[in-house]
Amino acid sequence: MAPLPPLPTSLVGSYAQPEWLIDRSRLAGRFPPRVRARELWRVAPELLAQAQDDATLLAIRAQEEAGLDIVTDGEIRRESYSNHFATALEGVDVDNPGTALDRSGHPNPVPRITGPIRRPRPVEVADVRFLRAHTDRTIKMTVPGPFTMSQQAQNEHYPDAEAAAMAYAEAVNAEITDLFAAGADVVQIDEPYMQARPDAARAYGLRALNAALAGVTGTTAVHICFGYAAIIHERPAGYSFLPELAGCSARQVSIETAQSGLDLGVLADLADKTVILGVIDLSDHAVESPETVAGRVRRAFGFVPPERIVIAPDCGMKYLPRESAEGKMRAMAGAAELLRKELAASS
């Protein structure tokens, strides 16, 4: 595996799943599922794993051909970023779901916590091994965060949401340890509900996040965003929970800046973190030019040195058409090439 260049490029996690694999119109017409949503898959159950492997290979090759430096599995096997892991745990009833409000305030079917949350077996280890076997580039795997999962569940077992979050943290910690042992170079925890529920995040979310990272020695990241652009259309002017992440033990923090036009002064609060800088607008299917993307990256240079920046989309590319996703990845790689030449010329 070659060393990463300056300003490496990466997906946040997900890539556009093929139309032949998943019913994209049904996927786009609902909020991300918290319980299983088997009806989304177009392939017969007995052939689904093979089809998901084939689609994952396409996602890996698409990232490589676009020129990305850090490759994910595209989360191709997942119905959503969180339910793949959350529904694999013991102590939750997904067949008789409960209800919780999503980040837009609408009720959504969610796992019902009916007993102690436990991870009976690794959930994504086979996925990371598959990814490692099919690329020689740096690889990243993502897992949903304990705080976010606690907000996406109906708690009928623990005394409060904090206790549930800490139980989820134990499961996530075990998973992260196994993912690094299986060959992951970077493991990212997705915690979008820290932005959606900042008061609860301040009360116990950071403690749950650090518990999920306890004892982990590999490179870790935490992703926090305003929600998928295809579903959550309005963007606030700034994060309600971000400087607090300077106090987490993850080495990298993943944020979105393109669609929101975020004031990047907040980056100065993230101390010595590497910033996974979201600079691809996922609300617009039109492909940005490399020059446009490079301009969005340059905005951060006054607050974070280039050596602590990873170039990425705002969020997952799950809801983009594949042609758009491919073009936007090429734009990221092109922007990185432009900026590397500028940095080399100025040094």
Side-chain angles (χ1 to χ4, degrees):
M1 187 177 65
L4 288 172
L7 297 168
T9 52
S10 172
L11 293 183
V12 168
S14 66
Y15 181 67
Q17 293 157 301
E19 186 72 59
W20 55 260
L21 179 67
I22 205 161
D23 188 332
R24 292 181 56 83
S25 61
R26 293 182 77 175
L27 179 73
R30 58 176 295 169
F31 277 83
R34 312 304 182 201
V35 293
R36 290 302 311 274
R38 295 178 178 86
E39 68 278 4
L40 293 176
W41 302 105
R42 293 188 183 275
V43 178
E46 65 272 17
L47 299 174
L48 183 57
Q50 180 181 338
Q52 289 170 336
D53 281 353
D54 290 347
T56 300
L57 283 175
L58 292 175
I60 294 168
R61 295 293 169 259
Q63 291 170 75
E64 290 181 335
E65 289 173 8
L68 298 194
D69 303 297
I70 302 167
V71 174
T72 78
D73 71 343
E75 301 180 6
I76 297 297
R77 299 177 183 85
R78 306 188 196 185
E79 295 155 2
S80 79
Y81 74 95
S82 61
N83 79 334
H84 182 67
F85 185 83
T87 60
L89 302 177
E90 288 181 349
V92 296
D93 187 342
V94 295
D95 296 319
N96 302 287
T99 302
L101 298 181
D102 58 37
R103 64 187 301 160
S104 69
H106 293 95
N108 219 4
V110 295
R112 201 162 49 89
I113 303 173
T114 56
I117 293 168
R118 295 193 183 94
R119 188 195 69 138
R121 65 191 66 83
V123 181
E124 300 174 18
V125 162
D127 302 346
V128 80
R129 284 178 178 155
F130 185 91
L131 176 58
R132 179 73 287 161
H134 290 97
T135 185
D136 58 3
R137 302 196 186 186
T138 299
I139 61 171
K140 178 171 78 171
M141 187 61 64
T142 65
V143 293
F147 178 77
T148 291
M149 283 191 287
S150 74
Q151 301 296 302
Q152 295 177 355
Q154 180 173 307
N155 175 24
E156 297 181 0
H157 175 75
Y158 292 98
D160 50 39
E162 178 176 357
M166 297 308 292
Y168 277 117
E170 188 173 338
V172 173
N173 181 259
E175 183 75 7
I176 292 173
T177 300
D178 285 345
L179 291 175
F180 280 120
D185 298 304
V186 182
V187 176
Q188 175 181 295
I189 297 180
D190 293 330
E191 282 285 17
Y193 272 63
M194 285 188 164
Q195 161 63 25
R197 311 269 168 81
D199 292 340
R202 290 187 191 96
Y204 59 87
L206 196 62
R207 191 164 75 87
L209 176 60
N210 281 332
L213 295 167
V216 173
T217 57
T219 300
T220 53
V222 57
H223 172 66
I224 184 168
C225 67
F226 302 124
Y228 288 111
I231 297 168
I232 306 294
H233 304 294
E234 297 299 322
R235 279 333 194 228
Y239 277 93
S240 58
F241 187 94
L242 184 60
E244 293 87 348
L245 290 178
C248 82
S249 51
R251 299 185 195 177
Q252 305 180 352
V253 176
S254 171
I255 63 168
E256 63 167 278
T257 74
Q259 186 185 348
S260 64
L262 187 73
D263 178 353
L264 298 189
V266 70
L267 298 183
D269 295 329
L270 292 179
D272 58 350
K273 304 295 187 192
T274 290
V275 176
I276 302 174
L277 192 71
V279 288
I280 295 294
D281 186 347
L282 304 180
S283 68
D284 187 354
H285 293 174
V287 175
E288 296 96 330
S289 69
E291 292 77 13
T292 295
V293 177
R296 293 172 181 165
V297 178
R298 285 190 204 98
R299 288 205 308 133
F301 286 174
F303 308 100
V304 181
E307 59 268 23
R308 287 203 282 113
I309 292 176
V310 175
I311 298 173
D314 272 6
C315 193
M317 285 187 163
K318 187 179 185 75
Y319 292 94
L320 284 184
R322 283 173 71 185
E323 322 81 70
S324 177
E326 288 168 2
K328 286 173 180 283
M329 289 194 301
R330 288 194 296 271
M332 285 197 302
E337 187 175 353
L338 285 173
L339 292 167
R340 288 165 191 160
K341 288 177 180 176
E342 290 177 10
L343 292 172
S346 64
S347 63

